[in-house]
Structures are given as C-alpha cells and as structure tokens.
Amino acid sequence: VVERLIVARYDDRAAALELADASDLVTYELEHIDATAVEVIAERLPVRPGLAALQATQDRLAERRFLEEQGAAVAGWRAVGSMKELEQAAKVIGLPARLKASFGGYDGRSQARLAEAADLAGAFEALGSGARPLLFEREVDFAAELSVVCARSLSGQTRPFPTTRNRHDEGILVESVAPAPVAPEVAERAQALVAQLAAGLGLVGLLTAELFVLKDGRLLVNELAPRVHNSGHWTLDGCDTNQFEQHIRAICGLPLGSVSMTAPAVAMVNLLGQGEDRPARLLGLAEAAADPAVHITLYDKRRVFERRKMGHLTALATTADEALALARMHVVDQHVGALQQLVEQVAPFPAAKIRGDRALVGVETEVKTALLGIGLVSREGAARAREVAVGRLNLDYVRAEVGEHLRAARGG
Ligand code: AMP
C-alpha cells in the first residue's frame, strides 16, 4: 500500500530522482534495472541492497569475476565476443556447455545449450552475435541444485535461511524443498559461502545464490540475485520470518528475524501455466485449500500461457519426501482437473485416443497436461490418475513417453 506510485522505465533518471526526493530509503527488487538510475539515487540517499551488489549481479561476466575474487568455485567459463572466441572456448573448455547472455536473462531465457560443435553458430546468432559479450560455461554434471537466501543487516550481521534443494525444467524452477535433503555439512557449507558472498558485496538486504552440488560434495556457484527469490517463497509459510519481511527488516536497520522453520520439512511447487495465451482459469483450489498442511499463493495474473508463473503451493510435513509428495499431489490435482475438461473437449476428434490403459490427448500445446493423463482418465478416474502422476512427475521421462504416444497417434 503506497501513497504515490511512479511508473517509469528502468533507465529514467528523472523519475529515479523524483522517487529519491519522496523517500527516506530506496530498495529494488530485481537486478535488471539500470545501474545509472540507481547511481543518481545513491548520491542522495541510501539504496539497499546497494549499487555494488547490483553491478556485480546484473552482468553475468562481472558476477563470475566477483565469485572468483571471493574464492568461490564456478564452472569453467570464458567471455566470448566473436565466433572465433566461441570456437576457441569450446575447444579449450569443452562441450557440452551453456552460452548465456551477460545481461537480462532469467528463467532459462537468453541462454542456449551447446551439445556439439554444430550448435555453436546458431546459438551465437540467437544470442545477438556477440553485440554484447556472452558467457560460455561448461555444463555441470551436478548431483543436485541448491540455493540459499541470506540476509545481511545494516550492522553486518548475516543470517541465512535453511538451504533449499531445487529442481528446474529448462531453466525454470519447478519445485523446492527445505531443509535440502543433503548431508548437513554440505547444507552448512552452502550457508556459510552465501553469507561470505553477501559480506563481500557489502550488501544490506538479501542475497540469493543458486548453487550446484557435485557428487563429491563440492559446491559451484551458478548465479547470484540481490533479492528475494522464487526458491525462498516457501518461507512465507515455512519460517518464523519470511524472506520478504527479512528484506524489509534488513534495509530498515531493524533486527533480523528468526529463520526457524515452522515444520520439519517444507516443499514448494510452482503453478506454471500451460498452453496458449488465454484468460486464466483456476482449478483444484478448493481441494488444496481443504488441507491444513497446504498453503496457496496466487499472483493475480489474469492471463495464462505456457510456463508462466501463476502462483505457488507449499506443503508442510515431517520429511522432505512427504512434503514434496503432498505439494505435487495438489498441483497434479489441478492438472487432472484440466485434463478431464480437455478430454471432454477433444473426445469427438480422432486424434484423441485411448490405447491400453493409457489415455492420450493429441493436442501438442497441452502435452504437459496430457503427460499427467498417462495411465488414467476414462477407466480409472482421478484417484488413479493422481497416484500415477505423482509417481511420475519427472518431466523428462514423461516428455519422452508422451512424445512417443503422440507420434503413434498421428500414425507416424
Ligand atoms: P541460470 O539462468 O543460469 O540460473 O540457469 C537456469 C538453469 O539452467 C539452472 O538452474 C540449471 O538447471 C541449468 N544450468 C544453467 N547453467 C548450467 C550449467 N553450466 N550446467 C548445468 N546446468 C546449467
């Protein structure tokens, strides 16, 4: 709730100064804003988490340099500005690799996977042909992805939230669980590392680090964000103080709040949109809301499209596996609801077929919904659907499976 709202571009300095004149303190909530707009504010009054934190995290190359200065391990990398440099990097550092834009990427956008030499030219062109230098980075064969959201107060006290384990699908966060089901020593090392990085940036507020843990327990830093993070949304329901409140406490010079958990394990599953751009329709809310261990947060987005983050659901339980199973089940319920409607819609068309015990819906944009229809629908109903889908919420597996059935349905 605010008295005044100033709407302007991220690089509008006049608007930045107008904001400064009306404020005692300024904060930002994403690292893609223009650093010069923040600079003009920082000359007049405190900007937290801070200008240095912004500069070091909005440019992936600056971020890599900062991490190396701090002695934090990262995947082998190089800055590349030409095809020649890219070919050289591929030769020296090796493939498979990722090519990432240095500015502006998030949720897996603005990056490409390079599996073999033939992929280099296309990826280079798609990412702007080196107009701005790109980050070439070796692909990491990680055991798991972790993240830590860490607060740092005005007096320099650091307080990390419990380490979280995350699962992504094509760069987008699908689910998180805390405390991360990894050796406690690894989880503590991750917290200490992120606290060190927060101090190294001199930031006041929150720093989130996304990490890869390797099979031997080593940690590599993938990405930093000077802000609250999707992988910390579980703290809304699962911690004494949530990440949003902790940010406000830190930047206002208040004591940091307790980060004790409200349950032994908390899982969060993102509610991601599916299909074409259309008005959003909420399904499965009543069922999820009836469960006292489940909490739903919606982002009030009126339209839905493929992979859009529409909200998230958290589940509290006694173990990580239970929490994840419960959260997935309720998300799956939404898909099952969508699937049942979809099946009714497409049933008159020949592309919708049921083979054996498997329902198949031949609408490609709804593949992700269809995937949850494997082994279900008309015969066994929603209860069985849920059981099968919860056991198989592995998108890679399911994609392959659905792809095969779609091909078969088309007769090719
Ligand atoms: P990013 O936008 O850099 O955070 O990347 C999004 C996701 O892509 C990560 O969370 C990983 O799942 C995957 N990814 C990014 N970089 C690498 C890498 N070097 N090796 C393996 N997976 C990666």
Side-chain angles (χ1 to χ4, degrees):
V1 182
V2 290
E3 278 175 20
R4 262 180 79 195
L5 187 65
I6 301 169
V7 181
R9 286 169 50 98
Y10 290 152
D11 60 356
D12 186 334
R13 292 188 205 190
L17 287 175
E18 197 187 332
L19 176 68
D21 288 341
S23 311
D24 298 316
L25 161 74
V26 171
T27 189
Y28 52 82
E29 60 134 28
L30 89 172
E31 61 276 22
H32 302 310
I33 49 174
D34 193 87
T36 55
V38 173
E39 221 165 316
V40 297
I41 300 176
E43 282 164 14
R44 299 198 181 182
L45 71 159
V47 178
R48 297 173 187 149
L51 181 61
L54 183 71
Q55 287 164 335
T57 57
Q58 68 177 192
D59 171 358
R60 285 189 195 263
L61 296 168
E63 190 173 276
R64 287 291 175 281
R65 292 186 194 107
F66 165 74
L67 290 167
E68 289 194 336
E69 265 166 43
Q70 289 288 315
V74 291
W77 67 279
R78 267 200 186 186
V80 299
S82 66
M83 252 323 273
K84 205 168 153 216
E85 285 174 358
L86 176 56
E87 281 161 2
Q88 186 69 13
K91 213 174 280 167
V92 177
I93 297 175
L95 297 173
R98 305 284 170 128
L99 191 62
K100 304 180 179 181
S102 47
F103 283 85
Y106 69 98
D107 284 350
R109 290 175 226 192
S110 305
Q111 62 173 279
R113 180 166 192 269
L114 309 172
E116 50 183 29
D119 298 337
L120 300 187
F124 186 69
E125 204 185 322
L127 292 171
S129 302
R132 274 185 136 171
L134 302 169
L135 171 67
F136 175 95
E137 185 182 87
R138 186 71 205 242
E139 187 169 272
V140 178
D141 182 21
F142 51 77
E145 293 194 71
L146 305 178
S147 63
V148 176
V149 181
C150 180
R152 184 167 179 274
S153 73
L154 199 52
S155 63
Q157 185 191 23
T158 50
R159 185 165 294 171
F161 283 96
T163 301
T164 303
R165 187 191 70 192
N166 305 315
R167 211 165 53 76
H168 293 84
D169 173 51
E170 286 174 17
I172 201 159
L173 183 67
V174 175
E175 62 182 28
S176 299
V177 66
V182 294
E185 178 274 324
V186 172
E188 282 162 27
R189 197 150 33 84
Q191 289 177 305
L193 172 61
V194 183
Q196 177 208 323
L197 297 174
L201 287 170
L203 66 70
V204 176
L206 298 187
L207 177 69
T208 302
E210 292 183 59
L211 311 162
F212 298 127
V213 57
L214 308 185
K215 290 184 186 84
D216 62 7
R218 271 186 304 145
L219 294 169
L220 304 185
V221 181
N222 176 39
E223 195 169 30
L224 301 178
R227 55 169 165 82
V228 295
H229 196 260
N230 192 174
S231 69
H233 283 356
W234 66 267
T235 61
L236 277 170
D237 311 301
C239 262
D240 283 352
T241 310
N242 69 56
Q243 61 171 353
F244 298 92
E245 178 180 333
Q246 196 74 306
H247 172 74
I248 298 298
R249 282 174 175 253
I251 64 169
C252 293
L254 295 167
L256 297 178
S258 155
V259 292
S260 294
M261 290 179 63
T262 56
V266 182
M268 183 226 59
V269 176
N270 269 335
L271 304 177
L272 299 174
Q274 300 177 327
E276 276 150 29
D277 192 331
R278 62 195 189 284
R281 201 161 33 104
L282 190 60
L283 295 163
L285 181 66
E287 292 81 353
D291 188 332
V294 169
H295 302 269
I296 303 157
T297 305
L298 300 171
Y299 309 152
D300 198 24
K301 295 180 180 175
R302 301 303 164 94
R303 295 193 72 81
V304 62
F305 49 81
E306 185 69 21
R307 296 161 72 75
R308 186 174 203 201
K309 287 176 176 172
M310 304 301 290
H312 68 265
L313 187 148
T314 52
L316 279 55
T318 49
T319 67
D321 283 346
E322 278 170 29
L324 275 172
L326 184 59
R328 287 172 186 170
M329 183 184 88
H330 283 290
V331 172
V332 166
D333 270 352
Q334 298 198 326
H335 291 274
V336 170
L339 181 69
Q340 282 169 333
Q341 293 187 2
L342 189 69
V343 167
E344 281 159 28
Q345 284 165 20
V346 301
F349 300 101
K353 286 189 184 155
I354 295 178
R355 290 176 12 145
D357 66 339
R358 300 178 169 196
L360 170 67
V361 184
V363 180
E364 192 128 33
T365 54
E366 301 278 0
V367 163
K368 278 198 198 155
T369 303
L371 65 87
L372 296 170
I374 292 175
L376 42 124
V377 194
S378 60
R379 302 174 179 211
E380 294 164 276
R384 173 76 182 134
R386 186 183 310 139
E387 201 182 299
V388 174
V390 168
R392 291 187 177 180
L393 205 70
N394 172 331
L395 296 184
D396 290 335
Y397 165 81
V398 172
R399 234 187 239 123
E401 179 116 337
V402 171
E404 184 194 312
H405 286 272
L406 280 176
R407 276 191 296 280
R410 291 201 195 98

